[in-house]
Amino acid sequence: MLCSAHSDVDGPGRFTYAWGTFKTFRKAVAKLLTEEYDLRTAQEQLGHASQTTTESFYVGINTEAPKVAETLEKFFKESTPSPKTG
């Protein structure tokens, strides 16, 4: 069950979600709309006057790191001293 009414906790007609808060939901919607459409669509859907608000507080920066494993492995292989024999 994703949500349930808790009128004694949140007030009449309010819902709580087991996985997060209302802001968590808004952030998820903003991120999805930005990825599927664009930032302006997310801004309009959330009712923000400015795209800056949507980007700064709801979409944030891209947290997906570039694929650098191969470069780092190459660096460490080249910079690791060979075992001494003898």
Side-chain angles (χ1 to χ4, degrees):
M1 175 185 240
L2 287 179
C3 68
S4 59
H6 292 288
S7 59
D8 59 325
V9 176
D10 296 332
R14 302 290 303 264
F15 291 91
T16 57
Y17 291 84
W19 52 267
T21 65
F22 184 67
K23 187 167 183 179
T24 305
F25 178 73
R26 286 177 59 87
K27 284 182 125 179
V29 168
K31 182 115 174 121
L32 177 65
L33 291 176
T34 300
E35 289 174 356
E36 294 293 322
Y37 296 96
D38 56 23
L39 183 60
R40 182 163 185 83
T41 302
Q43 174 231 336
E44 290 174 352
Q45 182 65 37
L46 294 174
H48 295 152
S50 153
Q51 286 186 18
T52 303
T53 301
T54 308
E55 187 171 32
S56 297
F57 297 102
Y58 287 88
V59 177
I61 60 170
N62 184 5
T63 56
E64 186 176 322
K67 310 291 187 248
V68 298
E70 186 176 314
T71 302
L72 293 174
E73 287 176 8
K74 180 180 174 186
F75 168 77
F76 285 111
K77 284 180 183 176
E78 291 174 359
S79 64
T80 304
S82 301
K84 293 183 180 178
T85 58

